[in-house]
Amino acid sequence: MIAPESNPTSSAAGARQAQMLKVRVLRQDGPGQEPYWQLFDVPREPDMNVISVLQRIAAISETVDGKKVAPVAWDCGCLEEVCGSCTMVINGKVRQSCTALVDKLVEDQPDEIVLEPMRKFPVIRDLLVDRGRLFHALERVKGWVPVDGYYDMGPGERQSRQQQEQNYPLSQCMSCGCCLDACPQYLKIELEQEDGESDEAFAARQAAAYDKGFIGAHAISQAMLFNNHPVGKTLADQRNEELSSAGGIQVCGNAQNCVAVCPKEIPLTRSIARAGRSTTLYQLKKFFER
Amino acid sequence: MSAHRVVVVGGGLAGLSATMKLAELGVAVDLISLTPVKRSHSVCAQGGINACNDQTRQLGDNEWKHFDDTVYGGDFLNHQPPVKEMAYWAPKVIDLMDRLGVPFNRTGEGFIDRRRFGGTLYKRTAFAGATTGQQLLYALDEQVRRRESEGLVRKFEFWDFLAPIQDDSGRCRGVVAQDMSSMEIRAFPADAVIVASGGCGLVYGRSTMSVFCNGSAASRCFQAGADYANGEFIQVHPTAIPGSDKLRLMSESARGEGGRVWVPRKPQDARAPKDIPDSDRFYFLEEHFPEYGNLVPRDIATREIFDVCVNEGLSVEPDRMCVYLDLTHIERRELDRKLGGILEIYEKFQGVDPRDVPMKIFPAVHYSMGGLWADYARSADGGLEPGAPQNQMTRIPGLYAMGECDYHYHGANRLGANSLLSCIFTGLFASPSLISYAQSAGGSYRDVPASLLESAVKAQQTRHDELLKGTGDENPYLIHQELGDVMTRSATVVRRNDQLQSAIETVDELHQRAKRVHLSDSGSWTNQNVIFAKALQDMFPLAKCILKGALQRDECRGAHFKPDFTKPSLTAEDPAERRRQAEQWCDAFEENNRKYLKTTVAKWDASSDQPQLSYEDVDTSLIPPRPRLYGLVGAEVIEEVWSERAARRQSEASDTQPSTSSSSDAKV
């Protein structure tokens, strides 16, 4: 976390109340523990975003009633909405906290800013969640180009501008998880490591549980991205097989929330429609080739 | 089971390309990262990646010229063999990334499109919209995920690297790292270790860097005995969007695609920018540098913007320094296709559409040219010897540095779109060196003595526990803020010895205070407070290298600019007198190079808490150093004198040395 700009020790309530922001945070001390709310007063400054609000809270570490508390844990990285780290639920809406500008938030909801962790991933602490399942899904769909190796073999196949313009938007997916949090079919899967269970055994049990759950819009879209690549498409059957299995494309209820919340405006529903056609064709082909 | 195991610290472009290459060679890799590797700071790179290509070749470009531009842009502080090797590999790197599925922008015919970047006259830069770093990183992330699914790579994400493990001989036998959730501290034995942890922008508080770029991994290696080189060379990017939590990069590609930098000629002209006619606009880069225009190297563009705001008082706003970066003359569709990503960033954070209104930008700390000192083996043809164990090896045997945290590729100033190249190149090229090293050094990660691992863990556990117990009263976040302020004031665009001296004293005090931090969280689960406190403490050795290096370097070179030591423009009108001044200028230039064309090498002295500096020669054997004359009055005469001297030297040396093609042209 980087240092706040202004002096945050001036947190005393009272005279400067008007310039204070009320920030309510849903906290949780660890996995499986009861969540609880805490309210913070943060001095308002120009051009603040939720990241700078959390930075001030980290430096103050004091609630509105003067109680000393541990800083709120959260995840952030690039602060310019390309890394996907800082997803959380802000005033009820899942989004990146770096682009959540305070002036805008206050305009829409003047009383307070409410921060909650993402709802579909296990909470590690406070606003920090475990999105391992999201990355596991990328492995499930074999989201890569299966090149022979990394020696110099000259350039890849020539590609049209049209193909690039189709693939580039899909390739901008930063694995933030907004689409999953907003999806009615994507349900939380939270397991606890048992006493005496090794890390490896726990990871394997988690992976098995994840494989049964919905794979999610982001991974379906990545499958379509690689199926549209001249070499990536050699794995298309395997991807289609994965998308046809438990937790695959058939789980999608077509709520279209995913595309509405995607901060990168990735055409996720178009990918899902393409995946629907592609898996149907694949199943037909499989049927006739039996 | 694999014969070798390597630990890679950091999962940006350098760490991932190394991991993927090592896995291809059958080496098992433990990949340790502060963040899921897909979120590493490489995602922030925007503009592109350089390589000469079929099109530029037909305009007279070649690998040697890319090499030449890089060392000229770096003011000759780069070691030339690694740069040469990199330039010759560059086209191969683009080809590989193309095969891995990077959606590079395409021409109408389907070839990879190119744009022009700073410090060159050729369109060498391949790009994927304005999120090239993100796209390159994703391609590597995907390959590493593939290798992970095959079982050769284990990822340890949300783990903090704490220290290298060294045996009695000093050799690196693994690392100690900490799980940032459970706070478990664990040893990872290895045959060799790569640190690819990026830059140290957080030493300056706010910069264009991600929050992970705190320099702690490099600092921990430095404190363990690796040298730190050229720390004072910090690139300040000319164009960033000021913000209270971060200074967001506005890519050089905005200028590469035709963006123009200007200020109103009338100070703080109140008119809307589009109402200011051309005659009332000062396109200062284009006026001062007719050849390169808005695409002069970064150090020069930064100083010009700084100068126009600070010294000429022409900042667009009265109470916040900024200049216009104008794209409004370019067609919207073209802008969306080539620069969409960065224009969105501006729009989201500033609430203004840069397609309609010029952006307001100002320089910001951006890149660490310096870093861990790393070795290389020079080949007979002046490049690098493939597979030589010492390529990229730090002073600690078995510990390697790659990517932004090494020091020898970018000299005193990095050219735009060369960083992505240097990261991927080092990862690919130098990974086989670790295997040669592991084979020649003998032993194995399997037989590292348990006692060595235990004592290394114990030392880190002690540091951790002491911090939690801490009886001090200092707030680490506030100390960080003070450190950032003093570093930004004293060691960015303009450096003065009195300010550096006073900054050194302030930073010494802050360092002592940082040892007495009080943590508001003393818990043992996901304690971000203690992780930050450790990172903060470890910023000081690097901050001190930057300041001391800058103080002792009484010259101007690349990003390091001291107004008290600038070389004067020529003043004489009379041709003979002007010629005589040029001769003197060249004498002074040669004298200065004898003294300062050296790598600054710092060793950490724990007893005094200070870096000890020494100076090392730079391998400039391929392209003789020549004056960098962008915009200097009298440049033509100096160039003429210099060319004559260079020709004379060349003919004197021709008996003993083969000629190196067009290398000694004093072109600008």
Side-chain angles (χ1 to χ4, degrees):
Chain A
M1 311 316 101
I2 63 179
E5 249 210 322
S6 74
N7 182 356
T9 51
S10 60
S11 71
R16 299 180 55 220
Q17 199 65 36
Q19 299 154 337
M20 288 291 176
L21 276 176
K22 289 233 177 300
V23 184
R24 193 175 294 277
V25 183
L26 186 62
R27 307 199 59 174
Q28 184 174 329
D29 295 340
Q33 304 207 30
E34 269 308 300
Y36 57 93
W37 291 97
Q38 267 176 358
L39 186 62
F40 297 89
D41 258 343
V42 177
R44 179 129 177 225
E45 297 157 33
D47 298 330
M48 285 184 108
N49 57 3
V50 167
I51 298 285
S52 47
V53 166
L54 285 164
Q55 286 170 346
R56 302 309 181 265
I57 291 178
I60 302 166
S61 299
E62 193 180 294
T63 64
V64 71
D65 12 278
K67 189 176 146 205
K68 282 280 172 201
V69 294
V72 175
W74 91 99
D75 195 6
C76 66
C78 70
L79 312 187
E80 53 192 57
E81 209 184 62
V82 281
C83 79
S85 298
C86 65
T87 320
M88 60 184 73
V89 177
I90 299 168
N91 290 352
K93 184 171 179 275
V94 68
R95 58 184 297 182
Q96 304 307 114
S97 43
C98 61
T99 40
L101 307 181
V102 165
D103 290 346
K104 194 84 186 52
L105 292 173
V106 171
E107 208 177 286
D108 297 345
Q109 182 176 316
D111 313 345
E112 55 184 30
I113 295 174
V114 182
L115 307 179
E116 298 166 80
M118 296 176 82
R119 295 157 290 207
K120 303 294 176 63
F121 295 100
V123 171
I124 296 171
R125 184 174 178 178
D126 297 336
L127 303 174
L128 191 66
V129 297
D130 173 7
R131 281 175 279 183
R133 177 179 166 196
L134 181 163
F135 290 110
H136 177 74
L138 298 181
E139 191 178 324
R140 268 178 81 180
V141 297
K142 300 193 189 305
W144 53 73
V145 176
V147 291
D148 293 345
Y150 312 126
Y151 293 93
D152 175 29
M153 310 298 287
E157 202 171 298
R158 212 194 289 183
Q159 288 180 48
S160 67
R161 181 179 278 181
Q162 187 196 11
Q163 188 171 10
Q164 191 272 344
E165 286 176 1
Q166 193 175 13
N167 284 347
Y168 178 65
L170 305 192
S171 190
Q172 280 187 297
C173 172
M174 56 186 182
S175 302
C176 64
C178 287
C179 59
L180 307 176
D181 196 81
C183 172
Q185 275 72 42
Y186 198 87
L187 306 175
K188 190 175 194 169
I189 296 176
E190 182 164 15
L191 303 178
E192 263 183 74
Q193 191 164 4
E194 285 157 9
D195 285 340
E197 187 177 32
S198 71
D199 290 352
E200 289 74 16
F202 179 54
R205 193 158 61 87
Q206 262 181 331
Y210 293 161
D211 285 346
K212 293 199 192 83
F214 183 35
I215 195 161
H218 76 301
I220 294 171
S221 187
Q222 288 293 299
M224 291 307 101
L225 167 63
F226 289 100
N227 283 358
N228 195 36
H229 183 273
V231 177
K233 72 180 174 209
T234 55
L235 298 179
D237 280 358
Q238 293 179 49
R239 293 193 192 101
N240 284 327
E241 181 65 38
E242 192 62 38
L243 292 182
S244 310
S245 65
I249 183 127
Q250 74 285 355
V251 179
C252 170
N254 204 21
Q256 312 211 359
N257 292 1
C258 50
V259 73
V261 297
C262 177
K264 294 283 129 181
E265 297 173 18
I266 296 169
L268 292 167
T269 42
R270 205 179 306 157
S271 288
I272 291 171
R274 267 165 68 196
R277 282 194 300 277
S278 168
T279 48
T280 306
L281 284 174
Y282 167 73
Q283 290 301 338
L284 284 172
K285 190 178 85 171
K286 232 169 85 171
F287 178 80
F288 286 114
E289 284 175 1
R290 253 194 327 197
Chain B
M1 202 178 219
S2 171
H4 297 295
R5 179 175 291 281
V6 163
V7 167
V8 176
V9 177
L13 290 177
L16 292 184
S17 56
T19 300
M20 137 188 136
K21 187 68 195 174
L22 285 165
E24 177 180 44
L25 297 170
V27 176
V29 179
D30 285 346
L31 177 56
I32 294 175
S33 169
L34 288 170
T35 182
V37 293
K38 190 175 178 179
R39 311 201 191 286
S40 302
H41 179 61
S42 302
V43 289
C44 288
Q46 299 172 341
I49 175 166
N50 287 336
C52 81
N53 53 76
D54 291 342
Q55 196 187 326
T56 61
R57 274 184 216 286
Q58 295 172 53
L59 296 165
D61 193 20
N62 55 35
E63 283 85 349
W64 185 276
K65 286 194 173 168
H66 182 187
F67 164 39
D68 187 284
D69 281 340
T70 304
V71 296
Y72 183 60
D75 226 342
F76 292 92
L77 203 62
N78 336 43
H79 274 275
Q80 295 185 356
V83 181
K84 179 183 175 222
E85 192 70 46
M86 173 176 83
Y88 278 78
W89 265 63
K92 298 189 261 186
V93 169
I94 307 278
D95 283 349
L96 174 60
M97 298 315 293
D98 179 29
R99 282 169 54 219
L100 296 184
V102 173
F104 286 117
N105 275 48
R106 300 283 164 168
T107 63
E109 206 179 327
F111 293 106
I112 293 178
D113 201 1
R114 306 278 176 154
R115 60 167 57 123
R116 212 186 114 204
F117 245 63
T120 180
L121 298 172
Y122 296 106
K123 278 177 138 180
R124 285 197 195 109
T125 309
F127 59 99
T131 61
T132 314
Q134 180 193 44
Q135 296 305 314
L136 295 171
L137 184 77
Y138 289 1
L140 298 179
D141 172 65
E142 288 148 16
Q143 293 301 318
V144 167
R145 185 168 296 105
R146 173 187 177 198
R147 301 293 174 181
E148 188 186 13
S149 75
E150 292 164 4
L152 263 182
V153 175
R154 297 192 298 182
K155 279 190 199 143
F156 295 85
E157 295 172 327
F158 293 114
W159 281 71
D160 188 15
F161 161 82
L162 298 178
I165 298 174
Q166 290 166 269
D167 63 18
D168 293 340
S169 71
R171 174 180 165 193
C172 178
R173 304 296 301 269
V175 309
V176 185
Q178 181 166 33
D179 181 330
M180 291 160 67
S181 291
S182 70
M183 309 312 281
E184 175 199 358
I185 295 176
R186 195 197 286 182
F188 294 80
D191 295 328
V193 172
I194 297 172
V195 176
S197 55
C200 61
L202 256 69
V203 170
Y204 286 85
R206 290 176 305 149
S207 69
T208 65
M209 292 194 212
S210 296
V211 301
F212 328 112
C213 306
N214 54 35
S216 63
S219 176
R220 287 162 193 170
C221 295
F222 175 46
Q223 293 174 74
D227 290 350
Y228 198 79
N230 288 343
E232 66 269 33
F233 291 95
I234 296 285
Q235 179 163 78
V236 180
H237 195 287
T239 59
I241 316 163
S244 69
D245 55 335
K246 180 184 190 189
L247 310 172
R248 295 179 177 85
L249 177 65
M250 181 44 59
S251 167
E252 189 165 304
S253 57
R255 284 172 287 138
E257 295 297 346
R260 303 177 73 187
V261 175
W262 62 278
V263 289
R265 288 197 189 269
K266 187 175 132 218
Q268 290 87 51
D269 195 324
R271 288 176 287 178
K274 70 170 178 353
D275 297 335
I276 301 177
D278 246 20
S279 55
D280 291 351
R281 297 178 177 196
F282 182 21
Y283 291 99
F284 51 97
L285 291 176
E286 295 170 34
E287 278 190 27
H288 294 167
F289 310 97
E291 189 175 20
Y292 284 82
N294 292 289
L295 287 173
V296 280
R298 291 179 174 175
D299 55 332
I300 293 169
T302 292
R303 280 197 290 280
E304 287 287 321
I305 294 171
F306 194 82
D307 190 60
V308 98
C309 292
V310 177
N311 300 328
E312 297 189 41
L314 291 175
S315 168
V316 169
E317 289 183 14
D319 43 5
R320 193 182 65 148
M321 285 195 273
C322 54
V323 301
Y324 286 129
L325 171 54
D326 197 343
L327 293 167
T328 57
H329 55 287
I330 304 171
E331 201 198 330
R332 289 184 79 92
R333 213 190 115 65
E334 184 81 353
L335 289 177
D336 286 339
R337 201 162 60 75
K338 291 182 168 170
L339 299 172
I342 53 171
L343 301 184
E344 254 167 48
I345 291 177
Y346 191 86
E347 208 171 352
K348 281 196 175 172
F349 287 94
Q350 301 299 108
V352 174
D353 186 348
R355 299 165 196 86
D356 297 329
V357 180
M359 296 181 276
K360 292 177 189 170
I361 55 93
F362 197 69
V365 167
H366 180 56
Y367 190 88
S368 324
M369 268 79 69
L372 291 168
W373 182 93
D375 204 357
Y376 59 85
R378 192 184 196 277
S379 64
D381 64 355
L384 299 184
E385 194 61 50
Q390 65 267 49
N391 290 333
Q392 302 293 136
M393 200 197 289
T394 67
R395 291 274 190 225
I396 297 177
L399 179 68
Y400 291 75
M402 297 185 191
E404 188 173 346
C405 75
D406 72 19
Y407 88 106
H408 40 351
Y409 288 87
H410 305 296
N413 170 59
R414 176 174 67 75
L415 288 191
N418 261 354
S419 58
L420 302 182
L421 176 63
S422 65
C423 288
I424 301 175
F425 163 71
T426 46
L428 291 176
F429 180 83
S431 291
S433 294
L434 276 83
I435 301 175
S436 323
Y437 168 78
Q439 283 161 354
S440 64
S444 157
Y445 71 94
R446 293 193 194 85
D447 54 28
V448 181
S451 58
L452 186 66
L453 302 177
E454 282 159 21
S455 68
V457 168
K458 189 152 171 273
Q460 294 304 322
Q461 191 69 53
T462 307
R463 180 183 184 197
H464 182 79
D465 296 344
E466 304 264 295
L467 267 168
L468 290 185
K469 276 197 305 234
T471 50
D473 54 357
E474 295 285 352
N475 182 333
Y477 299 100
L478 298 183
I479 292 182
H480 182 223
Q481 182 193 333
E482 288 185 48
L483 173 66
D485 287 348
V486 65
M487 293 300 292
T488 303
R489 264 201 317 274
S490 61
T492 48
V493 184
V494 172
R495 296 158 175 202
R496 295 177 195 279
N497 283 346
D498 52 343
Q499 289 176 355
L500 288 165
Q501 190 62 55
S502 116
I504 286 173
E505 285 156 28
T506 309
V507 167
D508 276 345
E509 281 163 34
L510 288 171
H511 192 187
Q512 293 311 311
R513 283 172 54 197
K515 293 178 179 178
R516 301 191 303 267
V517 289
H518 172 80
L519 302 183
S520 47
D521 184 0
S522 55
S524 56
W525 178 259
T526 322
N527 188 331
Q528 295 181 333
N529 210 207
V530 67
I531 290 164
F532 178 76
K534 282 187 226 182
L536 171 72
Q537 290 178 339
D538 291 327
M539 285 179 201
F540 287 94
L542 300 191
K544 290 175 178 183
C545 287
I546 295 169
L547 294 174
K548 199 168 175 187
L551 178 67
Q552 294 194 15
R553 188 176 279 278
D554 280 337
E555 65 159 350
C556 298
R557 188 177 296 278
H560 173 72
F561 178 72
K562 280 188 175 173
D564 294 343
F565 298 90
T566 49
K567 283 192 272 312
S569 291
L570 306 191
T571 51
E573 295 294 330
D574 169 59
E577 178 57 17
R578 204 170 171 83
R579 167 95 196 178
R580 202 187 56 77
Q581 283 186 339
E583 291 280 359
Q584 272 177 351
W585 198 100
C586 290
D587 290 344
F589 174 77
E590 286 184 343
E591 178 54 29
N592 183 69
N593 272 351
R594 270 191 288 280
K595 200 162 167 192
Y596 288 113
L597 181 46
K598 308 263 184 202
T599 302
T600 310
V601 181
K603 282 190 191 306
W604 183 244
D605 177 35
S607 62
S608 64
D609 258 354
Q610 295 298 337
Q612 305 295 342
L613 303 191
S614 60
Y615 293 87
E616 204 176 81
D617 285 336
V618 180
D619 184 340
T620 57
S621 57
L622 302 169
I623 301 179
R626 59 182 190 268
R628 218 164 153 244
L629 297 167
Y630 301 96
L632 193 80
V633 174
E636 345 54 63
V637 194
I638 295 172
E639 215 174 284
E640 189 184 295
V641 170
W642 189 259
S643 304
E644 287 167 22
R645 290 188 186 193
R648 210 156 47 232
R649 263 195 301 269
Q650 186 93 0
S651 69
E652 281 164 17
S654 61
D655 301 332
T656 51
Q657 239 181 327
S659 155
T660 45
S661 79
S662 64
S663 62
S664 57
D665 294 353
K667 87 166 167 56
V668 174

